[in-house]
């Protein structure tokens, strides 16, 4: 899926939900949001998971998900809910954890929460360091940097 199509989905979702607020969007989509223990089999070894069945949709978040990652993670899982076929989600979810569908969901999340990064504040930091500070995936940092036409980050990183 191309970025322009994802932008269109984000815009349409915000219009339909009447808001950019994640709780409003989850309510509009009628997705059950639950926090579960990190060891829960519902998470399949991750920190978050979106599930769609014929009778309900749910998003499960680990009780160990860092607060700074919560908004991005919820927006990322909403991206899966909106962008991806339910059969793919239930049958091959583990196969695309780092593939195109994950990248699409990350891009969707950056657009939905309108994440921006001040390139001057983060000059000299690695993409990995910036992603960790914001609680986002590294590909999200690269999307934001490209959007803002700033260099994504140094490769080595600043000493902390």
């Amino acid at each position: 899926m191309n970025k322009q199509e994802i932008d269109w989905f984000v815009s349409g979702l915000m219009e339909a939900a009447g808001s950019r607020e994640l709780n409003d969007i989850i309510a509009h989509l009628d997705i059950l949001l639950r926090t579960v223990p990190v060891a829960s089999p519902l998470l399949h070894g991750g920190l978050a998971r979106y599930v769609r069945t014929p009778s309900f949709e749910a998003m499960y978040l680990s009780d160990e998900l860092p607060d700074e990652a919560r908004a991005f993670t919820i927006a990322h899982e909403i991206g899966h809910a909106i962008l991806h076929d339910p059969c793919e989600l239930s049958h091959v979810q583990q196969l695309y954890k780092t593939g195109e569908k994950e990248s699409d969901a990350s891009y969707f999340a950056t657009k939905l929460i309108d994440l921006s990064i001040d390139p001057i504040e983060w000059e000299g930091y690695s993409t990995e360091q910036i992603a960790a500070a914001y609680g986002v995936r590294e590909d999200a940092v690269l999307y934001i940097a490209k959007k803002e036409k700033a260099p994504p980050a140094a490769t080595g990183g600043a000493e902390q």
Side-chain angles (χ1 to χ4, degrees):
M1 181 170 296
N2 70 48
K3 305 300 182 244
Q4 188 174 15
E5 290 172 316
I6 295 172
D7 292 348
W8 181 82
F9 277 110
V10 170
S11 178
L13 176 60
M14 290 186 308
E15 184 177 326
S19 174
R20 174 177 246 129
E21 296 297 319
L22 296 177
N23 288 335
D24 295 339
I25 291 170
I26 289 169
H28 171 75
L29 296 172
D30 198 25
I31 296 175
L32 176 72
L33 178 62
R34 292 288 181 256
T35 301
V36 297
V38 70
S40 171
L42 293 168
L43 293 172
H44 286 228
L47 291 176
R49 183 165 176 243
Y50 167 74
V51 176
R52 182 183 300 159
T53 72
S55 58
F56 74 95
E57 293 180 66
M59 189 181 305
Y60 300 104
L61 303 177
S62 166
D63 58 358
E64 292 187 12
L65 181 69
D67 288 341
E68 63 272 9
R70 187 173 173 86
F72 179 83
T73 301
I74 291 170
H76 178 94
E77 296 302 322
I78 291 171
H80 285 304
I82 297 295
L83 302 174
H84 304 136
D85 183 289
C87 294
E88 291 177 354
L89 290 172
S90 61
H91 294 103
V92 296
Q93 185 173 24
Q94 296 303 313
L95 298 178
Y96 63 78
K97 276 199 174 269
T98 58
E100 182 180 340
K101 292 188 181 346
E102 285 298 306
S103 292
D104 288 350
S106 288
Y107 179 78
F108 182 97
T110 64
K111 299 301 277 189
L112 184 60
I113 63 175
D114 197 25
L115 189 60
S116 64
I117 295 172
D118 181 350
I120 295 171
E121 177 184 349
W122 290 99
E123 185 176 351
Y125 287 86
S126 71
T127 302
E128 180 182 12
Q129 290 170 314
I130 297 168
Y134 279 87
V136 302
R137 291 171 43 106
E138 288 181 46
D139 56 353
V141 173
L142 297 174
Y143 296 137
I144 296 162
K146 188 180 283 187
K147 173 184 84 172
E148 296 176 356
K149 296 187 174 135
T155 55
E159 289 298 316
Q160 295 295 321

